[in-house]
Amino acid sequence: MHQWRQVTIALVAIVGVFGWTTAAGAATDLTVTTPADGHYQPGATTPLLVTIAADGAVEGTLRVSFDGQASASQYVEVPGGSEKQVVVMVGTLPWTTSASVTFDADGKDNDKTVRANITGPNGDEIVGVLPELAGRELPATADLTVDIGQARLFPFDVALLDYGPDVLSPFSQILATPGDLEALTSDQLESLEGWLGSGGGELVVDAPVGTPLVVPIGDATSERVAYGIGSVTFTGGSAALGGFDDVFAPTTPRSADDFPWGGFFGGFPTSIMLARDAGVKIPAIGSLALGLLAYTIVVGPVMWFLLRRRRSEPGMWLAVPGLAVVTAVGVWAVGLQLREGANTAHTTVIADLPTSRQVLSHVLVTSANGGLEGIELPDGWRSISTNEENWGGPVAVAAVPIQRDGAVLTELDPGGIGVLAAETTEPAGPPAFAIDVRPDGNELVGTVTNLTAFDLSEVLVSSGQGVANVGSLDAGASKDIKISGLNRSPFNGDPLMERMMQNDPWSANDGVSNPGVLISWLSLRPGIRSPGLVMASGWTRDAPGPVRTEGGSIVEAGRTAFVSVVPLETSGVSSLTNQVTYLRGYNGSRVSDVPAGGVCTDFPLTYAVRPGDTIGADETAVIEINRRSVAAFDVWDGGEWVPGQMASIEEADPVIGLPASASTDGVVYLRVQMTCDMWSVSEPLPELRLATGDDDIIPLGHTSTEANG
């Protein structure tokens, strides 16, 4: 007996040790980052690199949440004794403050939740460096060509390009050599070109101007070449020869919360209009409250009084459950009637860009009985997450996408709805609009023609901060247009966004457009709003959705925006042909010039002003200041910010002469402190132009008294 007891104890010990080892071996660990070491662009679809390490084989679901709101889920399997990296694409809000990732293992002991350590750009350039230069000693930061922040440098694993162009979304610039580009596979090069031409990225090539590239930019004759809505810049090989300082110029913020209008308008809801188009009906709160009140009265005093008169109080035990069943059936019947017409609906943007066509579609799906519902993903399409803030409406929802067998699905409760999104980039085709405009003083004049097969409504044509309201435009028809106010400050109010926001999503008379999806798309491509480009957009309800439901049905109900973006061909140096690009605002350094009067904000606005033509060595460039809108300004002279001395200049609208050093690669950088009168000035920003014989020029950094003396 004693021997059996010893054997039993030994077996228990062995089993205990084995069990403990198995449990410990199956424990998982998570690490989360982005391709830019935790940096990302708020508001953009963001790639999270999730590494799962386990001693034992595990499988389960990764779930990502931003600010407590579910964003994405993905099923993964990890072999025993290994680690696996998973790329999860998630939609982010412009004001996201925290994120968490949970591995929900099939074995409950293996669950793990970690907080994602991510941060926005905070006014810096986020630069991905491809292998040939990343293989050198790569500094963490580098000075920009202009003193308004830094470039943060991160080595980039080109294998990630296999996941598509969104994997580059954390970066504002990519640094590469011609050899780096030649080493990419065709699919990887396509991802890079998609980020560049359709996403508005900046590709910095460390090579002399004119070096042949596999990126089809043609023959480069200058340091900067437009490619779609992005650009390619040549460094002359300075990164390899002299290091990374002064290689990167500042770019327009890609983060929606940095751009003046992007952070707020990027959250405009789309699902309310989608639900209306799909036939989803929500009972009024008054009707629900009245029904609950009636049920409470009947099941309480009324029933008690009636049964008491009959001396059948014990009947309450049967009457109350019976009435509850009848009420539940009634509520179900009413709900079924409300949902019986519910289907799907879409809101779609079809954008013809200079190098490609981009199609983005949001689809609302419904389920009467609950379960998985979704849409098919045609070849070349990819699912994207759409985090839409709940604006208090009963249908403002964002679905958690689940990809499976060429479809993207979401789990719905009975009677539930969800919004799924997908996009694709295609070769450029015939555009939706023909835009023929020419400069006329400080305006653009010309015509716009509808080339689609649909009669379009709410047609707008814009360039920079100027917009022409065309109204309706039938298929094949043309209208004359005039665009004014191209270069006014974006803090002056954005007329394009204001016109689109006039469409009230809570109003039954909501027009034709669903502006939320177009505004969100634009807010992540701020380069489109440059005066160097012209954009036309118009809406129709007659175009079916480009993706089908998982069951193969065409999504008929909804609204489609047709968009065309074309470069503006101009010449000469004037306020019209200046391409005034917003660079920094909230995070900009303070202006060094002493304000001449009351200022409207405590931060300056930093702009890059690119003239339509190169200013010759024997020509004098000047900036003309509107004193009503400008209280103080600095000019970057290539080495420091030089104050404009506005407080000591007597002229009402002075003309300031610029030294040749003020042109950095053909761009003049201004840091402007605006007055509150800027709101009432149609062209509030300084005007860069060539000097004329009538100008009373004050050299930069001098007072009018010094100049006259």
Side-chain angles (χ1 to χ4, degrees):
M1 181 65 70
H2 179 70
Q3 291 179 338
W4 280 109
R5 182 179 297 175
Q6 289 180 327
V7 171
T8 302
I9 293 173
L11 288 175
V12 170
I14 293 172
V15 171
V17 170
F18 178 78
W20 177 87
T21 303
T22 303
T28 57
D29 191 22
L30 297 181
T31 56
V32 183
T33 186
T34 70
D37 193 24
H39 287 79
Y40 80 118
Q41 304 290 347
T45 297
T46 297
L48 293 183
L49 308 183
V50 184
T51 302
I52 310 172
D55 292 335
V58 293
E59 54 185 86
T61 303
L62 279 175
R63 307 186 191 278
V64 182
S65 297
F66 280 89
D67 293 334
Q69 180 176 328
S71 300
S73 65
Q74 187 168 322
Y75 193 80
V76 296
E77 298 179 359
V78 182
S82 67
E83 66 177 30
K84 183 175 185 179
Q85 185 181 79
V86 180
V87 179
V88 184
M89 297 293 182
V90 296
T92 61
L93 293 169
W95 43 83
T96 294
T97 58
S98 64
S100 64
V101 177
T102 297
F103 180 65
D104 186 5
D106 291 346
K108 64 179 181 179
D109 292 338
N110 299 327
D111 290 356
K112 183 76 172 181
T113 298
V114 297
R115 180 174 178 178
N117 185 21
I118 59 175
T119 182
N122 297 321
D124 291 331
E125 297 292 323
I126 308 300
V127 180
V129 184
L130 268 56
E132 286 195 3
L133 291 171
R136 303 174 51 191
E137 185 176 350
L138 192 65
T141 62
D143 293 337
L144 299 177
T145 56
V146 183
D147 183 18
I148 57 169
Q150 295 179 313
R152 296 187 176 274
L153 309 181
F154 303 96
F156 179 75
D157 181 3
V158 296
L160 294 174
L161 289 171
D162 294 334
Y163 290 92
D166 285 338
V167 79
L168 292 172
S169 70
F171 302 102
S172 55
Q173 303 186 44
I174 292 294
L175 175 63
T177 66
D180 283 322
L181 301 178
E182 292 171 0
L184 299 178
T185 67
S186 59
D187 289 342
Q188 291 170 345
L189 184 62
E190 184 177 338
S191 294
L192 178 64
E193 291 176 354
W195 169 83
L196 177 64
S198 302
E202 183 87 9
L203 175 63
V204 182
V205 180
D206 196 45
V209 174
T211 301
L213 301 178
V214 292
V215 177
I217 62 172
D219 296 329
T221 59
S222 62
E223 289 84 358
R224 184 176 183 269
V225 181
Y227 182 80
I229 61 174
S231 60
V232 178
T233 301
F234 292 90
T235 70
S238 59
L241 295 174
F244 298 93
D245 286 339
D246 300 323
V247 169
F248 307 100
T251 62
T252 299
R254 296 178 62 82
S255 173
D257 64 343
D258 284 336
F259 203 72
W261 43 262
F264 174 76
F265 290 107
F268 190 89
T270 62
S271 57
I272 294 175
M273 292 182 182
L274 278 169
R276 188 178 301 136
D277 291 342
V280 175
K281 299 177 182 178
I282 304 298
I285 188 65
S287 300
L288 291 174
L290 184 61
L292 288 174
L293 178 61
Y295 174 79
T296 303
I297 293 174
V298 170
V299 81
V302 172
M303 185 177 293
W304 178 82
F305 179 75
L306 292 176
L307 292 177
R308 187 181 181 208
R309 289 192 61 183
R310 294 176 174 268
R311 301 182 182 277
S312 303
E313 289 91 337
M316 292 279 287
W317 292 102
L318 295 177
V320 171
L323 183 59
V325 171
V326 171
T327 302
V329 171
V331 170
W332 176 83
V334 171
L336 182 62
Q337 183 180 9
L338 290 172
R339 297 287 186 180
E340 65 181 0
N343 203 330
T344 59
H346 74 98
T347 181
T348 299
V349 175
I350 301 176
D352 294 303
L353 305 176
T355 58
S356 63
R357 171 174 291 164
Q358 195 167 40
V359 186
L360 166 66
S361 189
H362 287 63
V363 181
L364 182 142
V365 293
T366 63
S367 176
N369 301 313
L372 289 174
E373 296 288 345
I375 55 177
E376 293 180 351
L377 288 179
D379 291 342
W381 283 74
R382 58 188 179 274
S383 169
I384 61 174
S385 298
T386 170
N387 274 358
E388 183 168 305
E389 184 77 354
N390 192 326
W391 284 60
V395 293
V397 296
V400 179
I402 303 170
Q403 295 194 50
R404 188 179 71 185
D405 299 330
V408 55
L409 311 171
T410 188
E411 183 76 34
L412 298 179
D413 295 328
I417 63 174
V419 178
L420 298 168
E423 66 180 5
T424 188
T425 301
E426 305 170 347
F433 294 94
I435 307 171
D436 182 15
V437 294
R438 64 186 185 280
D440 183 11
N442 288 335
E443 298 176 330
L444 290 177
V445 297
T447 60
V448 59
T449 303
N450 177 7
L451 302 181
T452 74
F454 303 95
D455 296 340
L456 300 179
S457 300
E458 302 180 42
V459 177
L460 301 171
V461 184
S462 64
S463 183
Q465 297 295 303
V467 59
N469 186 6
V470 178
S472 61
L473 193 61
D474 293 342
S478 299
K479 281 190 178 181
D480 294 335
I481 55 174
K482 178 188 293 185
I483 306 176
S484 304
L486 278 69
N487 284 332
R488 73 175 186 167
S489 169
F491 280 92
N492 209 12
D494 190 312
L496 178 63
M497 299 300 157
E498 289 170 356
R499 290 190 181 276
M500 286 194 281
M501 287 288 287
Q502 290 174 1
N503 191 346
D504 183 358
W506 288 273
S507 170
N509 184 19
D510 54 59
V512 177
S513 67
N514 187 341
V517 64
L518 181 54
I519 290 174
S520 296
W521 184 82
L522 277 173
S523 69
L524 297 175
R525 294 161 179 83
I528 289 179
R529 308 304 309 288
S530 164
L533 298 170
V534 184
M535 184 188 80
S537 63
W539 291 84
T540 180
R541 290 180 180 269
D542 297 330
V547 297
R548 296 172 178 257
T549 66
E550 191 199 13
S553 300
I554 297 175
V555 183
E556 297 281 359
R559 315 167 197 225
T560 299
F562 288 94
V563 178
S564 290
V565 178
V566 299
L568 175 61
E569 299 295 337
T570 61
S571 62
V573 179
S574 70
S575 65
L576 175 64
T577 55
N578 291 342
Q579 295 184 25
V580 181
T581 303
Y582 168 82
L583 295 177
R584 301 292 186 272
Y586 306 107
N587 298 324
S589 56
R590 297 297 182 261
V591 68
S592 57
D593 193 14
V594 178
V599 296
C600 199
T601 63
D602 63 353
F603 51 85
L605 310 178
T606 305
Y607 295 94
V609 185
R610 188 182 301 274
D613 277 350
T614 302
I615 300 173
D618 58 345
E619 297 176 309
T620 301
V622 298
I623 53 173
E624 184 170 351
I625 308 297
N626 187 323
R627 191 180 285 274
R628 281 187 58 201
S629 59
V630 176
F633 72 94
D634 297 338
V635 177
W636 180 256
D637 75 344
E640 63 179 348
W641 289 104
V642 179
Q645 300 283 10
M646 282 287 289
S648 303
I649 294 177
E650 299 175 354
E651 282 77 357
D653 291 325
V655 177
I656 309 297
L658 300 179
S661 59
S663 177
T664 305
D665 296 330
V667 179
V668 175
Y669 293 93
L670 301 176
R671 194 164 56 182
V672 185
Q673 187 76 59
M674 310 298 291
T675 72
C676 289
D677 277 349
M678 72 172 178
W679 306 106
S680 57
V681 177
S682 60
E683 297 280 352
L685 296 179
E687 175 186 347
L688 173 65
R689 58 177 176 81
L690 291 176
T692 67
D694 297 330
D695 289 328
D696 185 9
I697 300 176
I698 302 171
L700 176 67
H702 291 67
T703 67
S704 55
T705 303
E706 292 171 336
N708 294 332

